[in-house]
């Protein structure tokens, strides 16, 4: 039945492309070297984070602090599917490609918004993807687009016609696996990871031949017996219980469903041939007593040989995590003269509230300190390991379960030397009594603590990730901020506060303009050097994607997504 369904959808996708017509769309040609040299083509946006360095920094400078006030809407595309739209579009030679919920791909004229084609992939109706029908974007190589699906597949699409070229399984969705990240293309391979960490999966990354979809390598983010790191999944202590009704329950096979999903796109260093990915939470999220040990490689960054998938180094941010501090944030790469390092650095604002600098050649810890209020740890030791200070029952833990930041992309500007992040400030959570959690394959389970999580006293009881149209957020629950951090000192250079928390990514440009959106629906421009407000517009719905900039016919545009609308801005003529 599944095969017949996919065949029917393939026919439908070809018919849809033919009906919409392809007149005026150029045929893309994006070999690997164009991806390596993406910074030389600032008119394009080739990948989820703009380049392999994942800086979300553009060399375009037509829009600057003096004329940003003259920005106006140029066109809009409205999706027919409701829900938070987290995708980052690609722009290649005047054509925009964007995924929309649940797993459609749309090709548009990047100058006018005209739709060239829509490829519709309908995931299995009984898929079990966690946390919404999200797809965060696409990858491109040659004339092929690549997309992961909610039912655990990887799809290749012809970028000119919208025709499906191949469609292969990545994981069994019946066991709660999904693919929600934008793939990372390296050389002739497409690298994806699996989601489902809140549902008891065993995470992994896998690489596929771009031309055929054949799997080349696989790396499990939870090591099995005999593999390095498995010793961090310690045996249950003698005083523990094997009964899931006992508060002292310990799972002797916790590693088999230990989480560590990959649900955001990694970065790549062509010189080192290393691909870097952040891993998600350990499962169960909040009951760390039933899985003793540090639980590698959850809540870590892993550096893999891009050709073989072999682990070269790792760094764990939150050992034996119990606060759901996913470390899937984007690894931002930078080359700087820094004493005692290779000069090849990695910047990381982690969900656990600490900002880190690592040497990306070796994984060596360089520096780290809090960028928001933190009390779950008193600091970091000389190796970067946190010094735990668990709060007593009934006390507030900072940051809360959504973290000091989360999936929303940061930016680094080589011009200013500053790292920019959307942060949740003064935001905390009560963590209740740990609850034993039995693993039930393919079924939604408890995360290991009491729910719902009570906000701090006086705060509104609103969903943590999204809210309704009425903004009843108050400072009692915390507030959002765009922060500029100096990586050399770890100190905040400037801050721009917002009332509600911020879920939007950040973009910086060569003219020192910073763009970002927030949950209140504002899309705004700031001076990247000072944080001075330059311009904003109210788009009326939550902004949860990362903005991009590109140019067509010598004119610079900026694109963001608010609610169900993809909106593009340019300078008033």
């Amino acid at each position: 039945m599944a095969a017949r369904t996919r065949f029917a959808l393939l026919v439908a996708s070809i018919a849809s492309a033919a009906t919409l017509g392809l007149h005026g769309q150029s045929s893309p040609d994006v070999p690997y070297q164009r991806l390596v040299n993406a910074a030389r083509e600032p008119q394009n946006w080739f990948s989820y984070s703009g380049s392999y360095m994942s800086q979300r920094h553009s060399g375009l400078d037509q829009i600057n602090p003096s004329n940003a006030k003259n920005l106006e809407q140029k066109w809009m595309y409205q999706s027919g599917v409701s829900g938070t739209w987290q995708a980052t579009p690609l722009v290649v030679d005047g054509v925009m490609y964007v995924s929309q919920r649940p797993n459609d791909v749309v090709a548009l004229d990047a100058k006018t918004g005209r739709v060239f084609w829509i490829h519709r992939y309908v995931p299995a109706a009984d898929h079990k993807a966690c946390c919404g029908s999200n797809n965060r974007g696409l990858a491109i190589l040659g004339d092929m687009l690549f997309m992961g699906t909610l039912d655990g597949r990887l799809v290749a699409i012809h970028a000119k016609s919208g025709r499906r070229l191949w469609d292969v399984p990545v994981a069994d969705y019946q066991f709660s696996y999904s693919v929600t990240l934008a793939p990372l293309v390296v050389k002739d391979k497409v690298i994806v990871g699996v989601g489902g960490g809140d549902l008891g999966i065993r995470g992994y990354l896998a690489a596929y031949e771009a031309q055929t979809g054949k799997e080349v390598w696989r790396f499990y983010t939870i090591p099995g017996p005999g593999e390095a790191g498995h010793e961090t999944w310690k045996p249950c202590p003698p005083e523990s219980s094997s009964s899931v009704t006992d508060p002292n329950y310990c799972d002797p096979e916790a590693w088999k469903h230990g989480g560590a999903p990959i649900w955001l796109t990694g970065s790549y260093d062509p010189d080192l041939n290393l691909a870097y990915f952040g891993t998600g939470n350990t499962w169960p999220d909040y009951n760390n007593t039933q899985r003793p040990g540090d639980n590698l490689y959850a809540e870590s960054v892993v550096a893999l040989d891009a050709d073989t998938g072999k682990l070269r180094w790792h760094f764990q941010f939150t050992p034996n995590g119990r606060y759901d501090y996913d470390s899937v944030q984007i690894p931002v790469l930078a080359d700087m003269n820094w004493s005692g390092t290779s000069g090849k650095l990695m910047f990381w604002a982690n969900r656990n509230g600490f900002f880190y600098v690592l040497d990306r050649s070796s994984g060596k810890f360089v520096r780290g300190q809090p960028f928001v209020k933190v009390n779950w740890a008193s600091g970091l030791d000389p190796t970067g390991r946190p010094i735990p200070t668990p709060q007593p029952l009934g006390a507030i833990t900072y940051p809360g379960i959504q973290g000091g930041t989360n999936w929303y992309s940061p930016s680094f500007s080589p011009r200013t030397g500053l790292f920019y992040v959307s942060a949740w400030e003064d935001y905390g959570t009560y963590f209740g009594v740990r609850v034993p959690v039995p693993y039930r394959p393919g079924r939604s389970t408890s995360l290991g603590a009491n729910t719902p999580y009570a906000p701090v006293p006086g705060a509104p009881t609103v969903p943590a990730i999204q809210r309704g149209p009425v903004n009843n957020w108050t400072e009692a629950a915390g507030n959002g901020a765009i922060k500029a951090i100096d990586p050399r000192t770890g100190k905040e250079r400037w801050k721009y506060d917002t009332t509600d928390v911020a879920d939007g990514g950040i973009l910086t440009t060569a003219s020192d303009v910073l763009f970002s959106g927030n949950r209140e629906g504002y899309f705004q421009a700031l001076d990247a050097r000072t944080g001075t407000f330059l311009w904003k517009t109210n788009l009326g719905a939550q902004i949860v994607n990362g903005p991009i900039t590109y140019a067509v016919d010598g004119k610079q545009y900026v694109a963001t997504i608010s609610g169900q609308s993809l909106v593009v801005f340019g300078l008033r003529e």
Side-chain angles (χ1 to χ4, degrees):
M1 176 62 74
R4 290 199 298 273
T5 301
R6 284 195 295 274
F7 176 75
L9 294 172
L10 174 59
V11 173
S13 120
I14 295 172
S16 176
T19 301
L20 288 168
L22 306 173
H23 303 293
Q25 181 191 351
S26 61
S27 182
D29 181 18
V30 186
Y32 168 66
Q33 283 304 316
R34 285 187 79 183
L35 299 177
V36 172
N37 298 314
R40 300 178 186 174
E41 300 186 49
Q43 73 275 18
N44 293 315
W45 194 272
F46 283 132
S47 59
Y48 180 77
S49 296
S51 72
Y52 283 141
M53 301 285 276
S54 296
Q55 294 179 354
R56 283 196 178 248
H57 178 80
S58 170
L60 297 178
D61 61 3
Q62 192 175 85
I63 301 168
N64 58 53
S66 297
N67 63 23
K69 62 181 179 293
N70 297 324
L71 284 166
E72 65 179 11
Q73 181 181 315
K74 295 299 183 181
W75 59 265
M76 177 187 294
Y77 169 79
Q78 291 187 315
S79 170
V81 183
S82 63
T84 54
W85 193 358
Q86 296 180 8
T88 291
L90 308 183
V91 175
V92 180
D93 302 331
V95 180
M96 179 182 289
Y97 305 95
V98 63
S99 61
Q100 65 182 12
R101 294 163 62 101
N103 279 129
D104 293 349
V105 179
V106 186
L108 309 102
D109 186 317
K111 183 176 181 179
T112 67
R114 174 192 174 194
V115 176
F116 291 124
W117 52 257
I118 300 177
H119 178 102
R120 301 194 185 280
Y121 179 97
V122 181
D126 59 341
H127 78 79
K128 300 171 176 62
C130 170
C131 314
S133 298
N134 296 311
N135 181 277
R136 297 181 177 88
L138 311 166
I140 191 167
L141 181 67
D143 62 355
M144 302 171 70
L145 297 165
F146 305 94
M147 174 183 66
T149 72
L150 292 170
D151 55 358
R153 303 185 72 85
L154 180 62
V155 178
I157 300 164
H158 187 240
K160 168 76 177 192
S161 66
R163 176 172 55 91
R164 194 174 308 175
L165 300 174
W166 51 256
D167 170 5
V168 298
V170 174
D172 188 345
Y173 75 86
Q174 298 283 4
F175 290 94
S176 303
Y177 287 88
S178 60
V179 181
T180 61
L181 82 174
L184 178 69
V185 165
V186 174
K187 300 179 183 178
D188 59 350
K189 300 177 182 64
V190 184
I191 304 174
V192 295
V194 293
D198 289 339
L199 301 173
I201 66 160
R202 181 189 177 197
Y204 59 86
L205 286 152
Y208 298 83
E209 290 181 353
Q211 289 300 315
T212 65
K214 178 183 177 182
E215 185 175 316
V216 180
W217 56 254
R218 179 177 294 198
F219 171 79
Y220 280 96
T221 53
I222 301 292
E227 297 175 333
H230 183 72
E231 71 281 358
T232 67
W233 293 80
K234 293 185 177 180
C236 292
E239 65 273 16
S240 65
S241 171
S242 60
S243 171
V244 295
T245 61
D246 191 319
N248 296 315
Y249 169 67
C250 181
D251 183 352
E253 296 186 324
W255 68 272
K256 290 185 177 181
H257 32 260
I262 308 285
W263 48 277
L264 283 180
T265 309
S267 307
Y268 174 64
D269 186 324
D271 295 333
L272 299 174
N273 195 35
L274 292 180
Y276 308 97
F277 282 85
T279 66
N281 61 276
T282 327
W283 187 90
D285 302 37
Y286 310 114
N287 190 349
N288 57 341
T289 59
Q290 76 174 58
R291 42 173 174 79
D294 283 355
N295 305 145
L296 288 174
Y297 297 100
E299 302 180 34
S300 304
V301 54
V302 294
L304 306 182
D305 184 300
D307 294 333
T308 65
K310 299 296 184 183
L311 180 68
R312 296 305 181 206
W313 60 259
H314 76 277
F315 181 88
Q316 189 171 44
F317 299 99
T318 312
N320 190 229
R322 64 152 300 194
Y323 306 108
D324 198 18
Y325 291 154
D326 290 73
S327 292
V328 295
Q329 295 76 45
I330 304 298
V332 177
L333 312 185
D335 296 332
M336 299 175 67
N337 292 324
W338 195 303
S339 178
T341 75
S342 66
K344 286 180 167 288
L345 303 176
M346 176 183 292
F347 302 146
W348 201 297
N350 196 272
R351 185 167 169 172
N352 70 11
F354 287 92
F355 172 75
Y356 298 80
V357 179
L358 305 178
D359 186 324
R360 72 175 186 270
S361 297
S362 62
K364 177 184 175 182
F365 172 72
V366 177
R367 69 167 307 117
Q369 64 191 78
F371 66 96
V372 293
K373 184 176 181 179
V374 171
N375 70 356
W376 70 272
S378 61
L380 305 174
D381 74 13
T383 69
R385 186 181 179 91
I387 304 166
T389 50
Q391 300 303 296
L393 191 64
I396 303 168
T397 295
Y398 293 94
I401 57 173
Q402 292 304 316
T405 189
N406 206 310
W407 75 83
Y408 9 99
S409 296
S411 177
F412 172 74
S413 170
R415 287 176 49 85
T416 66
L418 299 177
F419 178 93
Y420 306 91
V421 62
S422 297
W424 288 28
E425 292 222 284
D426 298 321
Y427 158 72
T429 294
Y430 285 123
F431 287 88
V433 177
R434 296 178 180 90
V435 177
V437 185
Y439 172 64
R440 298 184 177 93
R443 295 174 58 186
S444 178
T445 61
S446 164
L447 302 181
N450 59 319
T451 56
Y453 301 98
V456 297
T461 303
V462 296
I465 297 178
Q466 57 185 338
R467 59 166 170 80
V470 177
N471 184 0
N472 62 344
W473 197 267
T474 73
E475 290 186 359
N479 66 279
I482 297 170
K483 292 193 167 193
I485 298 172
D486 185 341
R488 292 189 178 276
T489 64
K491 294 182 179 179
E492 180 183 300
R493 182 74 64 83
W494 58 257
K495 179 176 68 171
Y496 181 84
D497 286 320
T498 60
T499 301
D500 201 342
V501 291
D503 290 339
I506 296 175
L507 164 74
T508 57
T509 72
S511 57
D512 299 332
V513 177
L514 178 152
F515 292 95
S516 188
N518 61 29
R519 200 156 76 169
E520 297 168 87
Y522 289 113
F523 185 57
Q524 55 217 359
L526 308 177
D527 187 307
R529 291 192 177 273
T530 65
T532 302
F533 169 80
L534 301 174
W535 167 88
K536 75 175 178 181
T537 185
N538 190 342
L539 298 179
Q542 182 179 14
I543 297 173
V544 293
N545 86 315
I548 67 165
T549 188
Y550 61 92
V552 182
D553 295 336
K555 295 181 180 179
Q556 183 181 356
Y557 299 89
V558 180
T560 191
I561 294 174
S562 171
Q564 295 174 235
S565 300
L566 189 161
V567 189
V568 174
F569 298 90
L571 291 173
R572 186 177 305 115
E573 298 179 9

